[in-house]
């Protein structure tokens, strides 16, 4: 099973890129973030013509998540149960015995902002829910834009980013709490090149200058880790005209016997 995550930063703008990527890579499931469109405007016909089913939860101009899958998904759940939030940031579904959870974790803006406090509260709610979800679905993958660079090696200039949003201690502690639930960072299961990032600012030629952060992740439950054969970042879409500022992350998991 090939699973992937990609913050497309507007599905309307990036739809041709997504369709080309699906055709080339043929993932079993692709989690998308930042759709930035309402459900009534979701390009379902185009996605189905590409051979994929779609579950989605969107809103006008902001946020929005989707799971595109070759097979039919079951038990679809939008949002964090019991946590009131108008922002569309979570979508979960089961595919071939694997619980796929697509998340778009809040950015936080700056450590002294209300949005940062919202981010930390949101993460607490996510962690609490996932603790129960893992008991129901031991084979679980948490994919998405986390807006957290978990370690200094995930940042092009750790000193410049020290204490800033995406790299602050409380955010990294929240990421560690996710790992303590029994999740593993699939990217770090394998040797990786230095300076492997998933996001580059549009400004200052950041991509060309390799000034990036690794903030998009695929965490796997302990039950899935032995079945993971690879995890990598595909930077090719970031080279396209009018690209998303994020690159897809892909993990391959052997199917349960």
């Amino acid at each position: 099973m090939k699973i992937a995550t990609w913050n497309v930063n507007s599905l309307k703008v990036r739809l041709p890129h997504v369709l080309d990527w699906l055709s080339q890579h043929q993932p079993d499931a692709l989690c998308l973030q930042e759709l930035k469109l309402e459900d009534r405007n979701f390009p379902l016909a185009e996605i189905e013509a590409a051979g994929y089913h779609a579950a989605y939860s969107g809103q006008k101009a902001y946020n929005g998540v989707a799971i595109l899958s070759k097979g039919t998904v079951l038990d679809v759940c939008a949002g964090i149960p019991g946590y009131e939030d108008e922002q569309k940031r979570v979508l979960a579904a089961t595919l071939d015995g694997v619980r796929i959870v697509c998340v778009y974790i809040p950015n936080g803006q700056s450590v002294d902002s209300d949005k940062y406090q919202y981010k930390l509260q949101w993460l607490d709610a996510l962690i609490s829910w996932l603790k129960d979800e893992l008991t129901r679905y031991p084979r679980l993958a948490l994919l998405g834009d986390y807006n957290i660079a978990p370690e200094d090696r995930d940042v092009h200039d750790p000193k410049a980013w020290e204490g800033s949003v995406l790299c602050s201690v409380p955010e990294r502690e929240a990421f560690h709490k996710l790992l303590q639930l029994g999740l593993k960072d699939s990217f770090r299961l394998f040797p990786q090149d230095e300076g492997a990032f998933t996001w580059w600012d549009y400004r200052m030629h950041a991509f060309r200058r390799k000034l990036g952060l690794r903030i998009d992740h695929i965490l796997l439950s302990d039950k899935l880790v032995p079945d993971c054969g690879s995890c990598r970042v595909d930077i090719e879409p970031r080279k396209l005209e009018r690209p998303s500022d994020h690159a897809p992350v892909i993990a391959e998991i052997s199917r349960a016997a």
Side-chain angles (χ1 to χ4, degrees), residues 8 16 36 96 108 124 133 136 150 162 174 179 193 208 227 233 236 238:
V8 291
K36 295 184 176 179
D96 294 339
D124 283 344
E133 198 77 346
R136 298 175 59 204
E162 185 177 6
L179 301 182
D193 293 335
R208 189 183 70 193
D227 300 329
V233 180
E236 294 305 311
R238 189 61 173 81

Side-chain angles (χ1 to χ4, degrees), residues 173-191:
E173 287 177 345
F175 188 92
H176 186 67
K177 288 178 182 178
L178 287 169
L179 301 182
Q180 290 178 322
L181 295 177
L183 297 170
K184 297 289 190 299
D185 183 349
S186 60
F187 189 75
R188 293 301 179 198
L189 296 176
F190 307 96

Side-chain angles (χ1 to χ4, degrees), residues 4-11 14 18 30-36 57 62-67 88-91 101-105 142-147 215-217 244-249:
T5 182
W6 190 4
N7 179 324
V8 291
N9 191 14
S10 174
L11 183 56
R14 247 62 72 176
V18 171
L30 171 61
C31 293
L32 302 177
Q33 301 87 41
E34 278 205 272
L35 307 181
K36 295 184 176 179
S57 176
Y62 299 98
N63 307 317
V65 285
I67 300 173
K88 309 300 184 182
R89 294 184 173 276
V90 180
L91 191 64
V101 182
C102 174
V103 295
Y104 175 44
I105 292 173
L142 181 67
L143 306 88
D145 175 1
Y146 286 51
N147 274 310
I215 59 174
D216 303 84
H217 309 291
S244 169
D245 46 353
H246 295 253
V249 183

Side-chain angles (χ1 to χ4, degrees), residues 72-76 92-100 137:
T72 303
V73 295
L74 304 173
D75 303 326
V76 177
T94 301
L95 177 67
D96 294 339
V98 175
R99 190 62 169 171
I100 304 290
Y137 303 99

